[in-house]
Amino acid sequence: MIGAKNEPFSNFNAKLRFRTKSSKQYDILPKHVKDSAFKFENNSKGIRSTPAGPHHFLLCIVISVAFYTVLAILEKSLPEPVTLSNEHNHPDRFVAERARNHLVKLTSMGPRPVGSKENEILAVQLLLDEIKIIIEQADPSHKVEWDLQRVSGAFSLQFLDGMTNVYRNVQNIIVKIGPIKASRHSLLINCHFDSVVDSPGASDDGASCAIMLELLRVISRLKIPLKNNIIFLFNGAEENMMQASHGFITQHKWASSIRAFINMEACGAGGKEILFQVGPNHPWLLEAYSDTVPYPLASSMAQEIFQSGIIPGDTDYRIFRDFGRVSGLDFAWSANGYVYHTKLDTVDKIPLGTFQRTGDNMLPLILKLVNSVQISDVEKYSTGNLVFFDFLGIFIVHWSEVLSDIINISVIIISLLVILYNASHTRVTGFSVKDYFKSCFKCSSLTVLIWLATLFTIAVLSLTVVMLDRRLSWFAQPAWLLFLYITPTILVPMVLLVLFGRKFLWGKKGTHYPQSLMYCISRDGNQLLYIMILLLCVLLRIRSGFAVALFVTCNTISILLHNTILNNDYGYKVLWLHWGCMLVPFMLSAYMIQAALLLVVPIMGRSGSGNHAESVMSLITSAMFTLVFSFYNPLVLLLQKVYTVFSSLAVVLLVSFLVLVFTPLGFPYSGDPNNLAPQRFMIAHVERSFYGYNGSLRDHQNGLWIVNLDVNSPQSIVRHVPELINARQISQDECNNELYCGLPYFIPVITFIWKTHWIDTKPLDVEIPLSLNLTYRDHRLHNVQRLSFSAIGPDHITFMLSLYDGIKLKDWSLSDGEPLKGPLWNGRPTYFVYYSCANDIIPWDFWIDIEVPKTHVGPQIEIGLSGHRMHGPNQYTPELKKLFNQLPQWTTTTGWASAYKSYTL
């Protein structure tokens, strides 16, 4: 309420709006008071404009949600597929139906884990038969050759907890098509036809192989010869931690000709393939993608997130990059990740339009790359990386890192100049440029504190949800994220800004400044914070800074238009002006957030029960939307009856909690074929044997080992499986006393999947042959001993090694180079080795060299050996079958029989 110079508003609402006075009352105020008052004035008519009503802000929120919903719907749009019946109307086009027919044949044989008949014989024969038909019908202008590679090798892999990967007789099918006159340069296209245990592997990655067959057919019939070679690699052991691709790129006769590659993968069934890794360096690869594909979807932000290790996954891209020293492009489908690596990954989950979209993108891209000048001289065009992103799937925006720095620095400078202009044109008496910037920095600090307070609030809300036993409601229905976590993410910052923002505008002692100034400084202080974040992106070479630069740029435009067109009017017009200016970055960020949630939400259902998925997901979601809505928060200072906005959002939040607690709408899983979101269970029937230092058996157990893949496991199914009442959680004492908790971990994931359960059962019905024999101990120079071993077991074996204090591992025959360490166990170094034999199983012979001090007495090493029966008629025991048959239809299972033996030597 204006009564005298700089008099503060008298109540809560007065902090948020200007109560209008008659023109006569306003006219008698001194000039310096009018200059410092909150100006809602229309200069042309001499009538003060009214501040924005709460419905304006709420309408902005509603429209924003509507935009987000539209983007989510558009995300599912796919091109019209070409079918066998109309392919004559589309010569030289990719035919989606033919590709799907290939996939139907491949998946009809069932799961294809490495070592199975389905993978090593049936799938290989199927692919070779199709390839031979294509070669017979190829145009004479092309030279087409094929090869079947059976390869053995080993390599270290810094993935998950770190491992050494050893393989024997894995298979690759390779087809090379090129000009009649031989070329020394090739483009590699890769897929894998093996699958994980129990999954038919339609999307991961049979569909990519089916698409490659159709691409090979179309290219082989083109009349114009290729300038260079295309090598189609159908690799047979990717799910075994990328073994077959390593065997190809390091040992095949054609590998040395490869100059670039395209890797086709999936972490979901269908949808749109995203380019999420490109390079390293070689910007011409991304430029070719940008110039040719009709349906782009790519982001350097996705690349930085994936390569940070946040997402627990990897692809053959790593192998070609690290071991082949080749640059390339990595594509993956990410929609419907609920069926990824499950029995539900079937052909019917992949829309025909997905085949068409991927084929229509890959065909011109392949032809562009293989016929390019760059592929014939890749070193000449190898320098530099690009910042890139697609705009709503319409076109690709990309620029070099140097240009990115120039753009970002220019944005920083211009934005700072605009803030300086605002500071120098402050109409409040006694408020200097220095005071303005000082208050802006204070508001930047306040914004950071508000962010932290918001995340703290969200953490408390997520813990409340956990205490109410309503975890993962958003797993089957991601809309719960909006009601539970996005709504308070909008509400909390606005409340805190209203309550504490004025204190950060404190001028001289006992003085307050008008609401208009409070809005300007809050807006500019927020802008200043993002300028600092953008500067940090420049200094740290973070290419994702393009998103920050876009927000800062549009916010600067909004400020300039406010200062010019609206002539500093602080009514509802500025609210809509600002919302309109920020629409482009909002749509882009909503588009990227939608893609991120599409990927991350299903991952939370298989990330392990020890990872507090509810809190993690709530904080991830809140953090993303906190950054987006930071640019809208200052607008709340322009509203009348702001408590209407607060109460509306608070009601949404409260009603959501009540619905979640008192209705079944928050049930986290779904077995509906049209909306699958199953709970996953990985259960192994295990025989455990523990041998002491003297070789005697010190313990022997049989049981079902339940690997808890989410926070509701296994308590969610207790009423369906009465046997689970007797399940006990593997204790910390067991993990302290036994290497890898004395359990047959298939891959090294104990740091994030450590919470598991055990049910005692009778012994396995069919014994798993598993033994480790110390065949020779050789004492060498410098206190070094060589221990030679022979391991006998099934075609999948894991070997864990830990050294007692004072013992050092000097070398081994398992891989070249220094042995790769895993996580410490009881303060001792551990090593995890994964071994598979795809054909012709023979004993696995290897040696290790250890350095033993002369004063050492007693045990030197501890070994855990696991054998996994992952296919064939004896994969499931009667106990496993019984348990699986009891599970409800909203679950999906993976299981096999394992043996574990522990040795102390």
Side-chain angles (χ1 to χ4, degrees):
M1 180 175 182
I2 298 176
K5 179 181 179 182
N6 299 329
E7 180 178 337
F9 295 148
S10 60
N11 55 39
F12 181 74
N13 284 331
K15 291 182 179 181
L16 313 170
R17 61 186 175 88
F18 174 80
R19 289 181 174 176
T20 60
K21 297 287 185 179
S22 66
S23 299
K24 183 176 181 180
Q25 287 177 303
Y26 185 77
D27 290 340
I28 64 173
L29 292 175
K31 183 178 184 301
H32 66 273
V33 174
K34 289 189 286 185
D35 287 341
S36 63
F38 186 23
K39 292 183 178 290
F40 286 113
E41 184 176 0
N42 186 315
N43 293 327
S44 62
K45 297 183 179 180
I47 302 174
R48 288 177 294 158
S49 59
T50 58
H55 61 279
H56 287 282
F57 196 86
L58 291 173
L59 186 57
C60 282
I61 294 177
V62 170
I63 295 176
S64 298
V65 172
F67 268 114
Y68 187 92
T69 304
V70 170
L71 290 174
I73 294 172
L74 291 177
E75 171 66 25
K76 300 179 180 180
S77 64
L78 295 168
E80 186 69 24
V82 178
T83 62
L84 294 175
S85 61
N86 66 7
E87 69 172 318
H88 61 278
N89 296 324
H90 306 279
D92 300 333
R93 280 284 303 277
F94 179 93
V95 181
E97 187 177 7
R98 182 178 285 107
R100 186 177 64 179
N101 290 345
H102 290 318
L103 182 60
V104 169
K105 294 177 184 178
L106 183 62
T107 57
S108 64
M109 60 186 65
R112 302 176 301 283
V114 171
S116 66
K117 176 183 177 181
E118 290 78 9
N119 192 67
E120 308 307 328
I121 298 175
L122 301 181
V124 170
Q125 191 59 54
L126 171 66
L127 291 170
L128 285 177
D129 288 345
E130 297 293 344
I131 288 167
K132 290 174 182 178
I133 293 173
I134 292 172
I135 292 176
E136 290 175 0
Q137 298 175 353
D139 190 87
S141 61
H142 307 292
K143 181 180 179 182
V144 190
E145 308 170 72
W146 68 271
D147 187 35
L148 177 61
Q149 181 191 28
R150 181 177 288 189
V151 61
S152 304
F155 60 99
S156 295
L157 189 61
Q158 290 182 334
F159 174 58
L160 302 174
D161 294 343
M163 62 188 296
T164 298
N165 210 339
V166 183
Y167 57 94
R168 183 173 183 271
N169 291 340
V170 300
Q171 298 188 96
N172 288 309
I173 301 171
I174 309 107
V175 182
K176 183 171 73 169
I177 179 171
I180 300 299
K181 183 179 180 181
S183 169
R184 296 181 295 107
H185 312 290
S186 300
L187 171 69
L188 174 68
I189 318 297
N190 176 68
C191 72
H192 67 89
F193 59 84
D194 66 313
S195 72
V196 296
V197 180
D198 286 336
S199 175
S203 66
D204 184 25
D205 188 35
S208 295
C209 292
I211 288 171
M212 280 174 48
L213 284 174
E214 176 61 7
L215 288 170
L216 175 61
R217 185 195 69 85
V218 174
I219 293 172
S220 69
R221 295 189 176 194
L222 296 177
K223 302 298 182 183
I224 302 176
L226 303 172
K227 293 182 179 179
N228 296 290
N229 308 311
I230 305 172
I231 294 176
F232 290 84
L233 171 61
F234 302 84
N235 91 65
E238 190 271 350
E239 299 296 357
N240 273 23
M241 300 297 112
M242 301 164 285
Q243 293 173 345
S245 58
H246 179 270
F248 169 79
I249 202 66
T250 58
Q251 299 183 51
H252 196 269
K253 59 184 179 181
W254 292 338
S256 61
S257 70
I258 294 171
R259 305 292 178 258
F261 68 87
I262 292 174
N263 184 53
M264 298 172 62
E265 258 290 359
C267 57
K272 303 175 179 179
E273 82 288 343
I274 180 174
L275 173 59
F276 66 102
Q277 294 190 96
V278 61
N281 299 312
H282 295 268
W284 62 278
L285 295 171
L286 192 278
E287 291 170 348
Y289 176 82
S290 175
D291 293 342
T292 57
V293 299
Y295 314 111
L297 180 58
S299 174
S300 51
M301 181 180 292
Q303 177 163 344
E304 288 183 325
I305 292 173
F306 185 83
Q307 293 182 352
S308 70
I310 295 175
I311 298 174
D314 216 334
T315 73
D316 287 320
Y317 175 95
R318 174 197 285 266
I319 302 301
F320 301 136
R321 179 195 65 192
D322 294 352
F323 294 95
R325 306 298 177 190
V326 186
S327 294
L329 305 106
D330 203 7
F331 295 91
W333 296 339
S334 60
N336 197 14
Y338 298 103
V339 305
Y340 170 75
H341 280 192
T342 72
K343 296 176 180 180
L344 304 172
D345 185 12
T346 53
V347 178
D348 60 291
K349 304 300 189 303
I350 308 173
L352 194 57
T354 292
F355 288 92
Q356 193 64 51
R357 175 193 161 90
T358 302
D360 285 349
N361 277 346
M362 292 300 106
L363 183 58
L365 176 61
I366 290 170
L367 295 176
K368 174 75 172 181
L369 291 175
V370 76
N371 294 318
S372 67
V373 174
Q374 291 89 340
I375 202 170
S376 301
D377 191 4
V378 290
E379 292 304 319
K380 182 179 179 181
Y381 303 96
S382 64
T383 306
N385 284 305
L386 294 178
V387 175
F388 60 93
F389 59 92
D390 72 288
F391 184 75
L392 309 183
I394 302 172
F395 56 86
I396 289 284
V397 179
H398 64 85
W399 50 72
S400 67
E401 287 185 310
V402 173
L403 182 57
S404 176
D405 288 341
I406 294 173
I407 292 173
N408 290 342
I409 293 172
S410 299
V411 169
I412 291 171
I413 293 173
I414 293 172
S415 299
L416 286 173
L417 291 175
V418 170
I419 295 175
L420 178 61
Y421 174 85
N422 293 339
S424 62
H425 286 72
T426 302
R427 299 183 181 182
V428 177
T429 304
F431 201 76
S432 65
V433 172
K434 180 180 178 181
D435 292 331
Y436 193 92
F437 271 96
K438 184 177 179 180
S439 294
C440 282
F441 277 111
K442 286 183 177 181
C443 277
S444 297
S445 303
L446 175 63
T447 301
V448 174
L449 294 175
I450 287 176
W451 288 355
L452 296 176
T454 301
L455 294 178
F456 176 78
T457 303
I458 296 299
V460 171
L461 288 173
S462 67
L463 291 176
T464 304
V465 170
V466 171
M467 292 175 62
L468 294 172
D469 195 23
R470 291 296 185 267
R471 294 166 292 191
L472 305 188
S473 60
W474 38 263
F475 183 66
Q477 299 293 338
W480 277 106
L481 291 171
L482 170 63
F483 298 115
L484 295 179
Y485 302 123
I486 298 175
T487 298
T489 295
I490 300 172
L491 174 61
V492 172
M494 292 193 304
V495 172
L496 295 178
L497 181 60
V498 167
L499 292 179
F500 301 105
R502 176 169 290 282
K503 295 180 180 180
F504 283 76
L505 293 181
W506 202 265
K508 298 178 182 178
K509 188 174 182 180
T511 305
H512 283 296
Y513 289 107
Q515 203 72 14
S516 58
L517 184 61
M518 183 177 176
Y519 163 73
C520 290
I521 293 181
S522 176
R523 176 197 64 193
D524 290 351
N526 189 69
Q527 178 84 329
L528 196 60
L529 175 60
Y530 275 85
I531 288 172
M532 290 186 282
I533 294 174
L534 183 56
L535 180 61
L536 193 64
C537 291
V538 173
L539 296 176
L540 298 180
R541 315 297 298 169
I542 299 175
R543 285 180 281 170
S544 301
F546 72 84
V548 181
L550 183 59
F551 270 101
V552 172
T553 299
C554 291
N555 198 45
T556 302
I557 294 172
S558 174
I559 296 171
L560 290 172
L561 293 177
H562 179 212
N563 292 344
T564 54
I565 296 177
L566 294 185
N567 194 24
N568 292 314
D569 185 340
Y570 293 95
Y572 68 90
K573 293 180 182 178
V574 68
L575 186 149
W576 288 107
L577 170 68
H578 184 74
W579 185 86
C581 289
M582 301 304 294
L583 185 59
V584 170
F586 173 81
M587 292 177 64
L588 183 62
S589 61
Y591 176 71
M592 292 189 292
I593 288 173
Q594 165 67 12
L597 293 179
L598 198 69
L599 173 66
V600 174
V601 168
I603 287 177
M604 288 294 104
R606 59 178 187 269
S607 61
S609 61
N611 280 339
H612 310 290
E614 188 70 34
S615 296
V616 171
M617 196 66 218
S618 66
L619 292 174
I620 289 175
T621 304
S622 179
M624 290 190 295
F625 281 92
T626 293
L627 296 175
V628 172
F629 282 108
S630 290
F631 288 91
Y632 296 89
N633 290 334
L635 294 174
V636 75
L637 301 173
L638 301 179
L639 301 181
Q640 287 178 323
K641 298 181 181 179
V642 72
Y643 57 82
T644 303
V645 175
F646 294 167
S647 59
S648 299
L649 295 175
V651 167
V652 170
L653 180 59
L654 178 60
V655 171
S656 301
F657 261 87
L658 293 175
V659 172
L660 179 67
V661 173
F662 294 107
T663 75
L665 295 178
F667 185 70
Y669 310 109
S670 170
D672 181 356
N674 297 318
N675 185 37
L676 282 172
Q679 185 178 22
R680 297 176 183 231
F681 286 93
M682 194 186 85
I683 304 175
H685 196 172
V686 180
E687 180 180 45
R688 301 200 290 177
S689 303
F690 302 90
Y691 295 90
Y693 182 47
N694 59 4
S696 62
L697 181 66
R698 58 183 174 84
D699 195 9
H700 182 78
Q701 300 176 16
N702 288 275
L704 295 176
W705 180 41
I706 304 171
V707 181
N708 305 135
L709 294 178
D710 76 16
V711 293
N712 292 324
S713 173
Q715 62 271 21
S716 61
I717 57 169
V718 170
R719 65 189 181 93
H720 300 278
V721 187
E723 293 88 342
L724 287 175
I725 297 174
N726 300 319
R728 62 176 177 84
Q729 185 176 331
I730 298 296
S731 67
Q732 188 60 47
D733 288 341
E734 288 178 272
C735 293
N736 289 337
N737 294 331
E738 305 294 346
L739 181 61
Y740 269 79
C741 303
L743 294 166
Y745 275 87
F746 180 59
I747 52 177
V749 292
I750 197 168
T751 55
F752 66 93
I753 300 183
W754 50 266
K755 187 177 179 181
T756 64
H757 283 75
W758 180 271
I759 305 175
D760 291 319
T761 66
K762 64 181 184 180
L764 301 178
D765 56 327
V766 178
E767 183 181 357
I768 297 177
L770 182 69
S771 63
L772 181 69
N773 299 310
L774 177 61
T775 58
Y776 191 71
R777 187 190 293 264
D778 183 17
H779 293 269
R780 296 172 172 258
L781 297 176
H782 308 296
N783 301 323
V784 173
Q785 298 181 19
R786 173 164 291 183
L787 279 64
S788 299
F789 295 97
S790 180
I792 297 174
D795 50 25
H796 291 79
I797 298 175
T798 52
F799 170 82
M800 290 84 79
L801 170 68
S802 180
L803 310 173
Y804 277 82
D805 293 338
I807 310 298
K808 296 180 180 179
L809 179 62
K810 303 297 292 184
D811 196 8
W812 63 11
S813 63
L814 295 170
S815 65
D816 295 332
E818 182 180 354
L820 179 64
K821 293 181 181 179
L824 293 178
W825 174 63
N826 289 339
R828 292 154 44 181
T830 64
Y831 302 84
F832 190 101
V833 183
Y834 177 86
Y835 170 80
S836 71
C837 180
N839 287 281
D840 305 327
I841 300 177
I842 60 174
W844 177 28
D845 298 327
F846 59 92
W847 53 260
I848 64 173
D849 285 348
I850 56 174
E851 183 179 338
V852 183
K854 292 182 179 180
T855 57
H856 184 84
V857 178
Q860 299 171 351
I861 63 174
E862 187 160 353
I863 291 173
L865 188 73
S866 301
H868 306 272
R869 197 167 63 205
M870 309 188 78
H871 55 84
N874 297 319
Q875 175 185 342
Y876 303 110
T877 63
E879 286 77 11
L880 272 177
K881 293 178 181 178
K882 178 184 176 183
L883 191 150
F884 288 166
N885 289 335
Q886 291 174 283
L887 294 179
Q889 52 91 25
W890 43 263
T891 64
T892 185
T893 58
T894 299
W896 62 85
S898 292
Y900 177 88
K901 294 190 176 182
S902 171
Y903 303 90
T904 302
L905 303 174

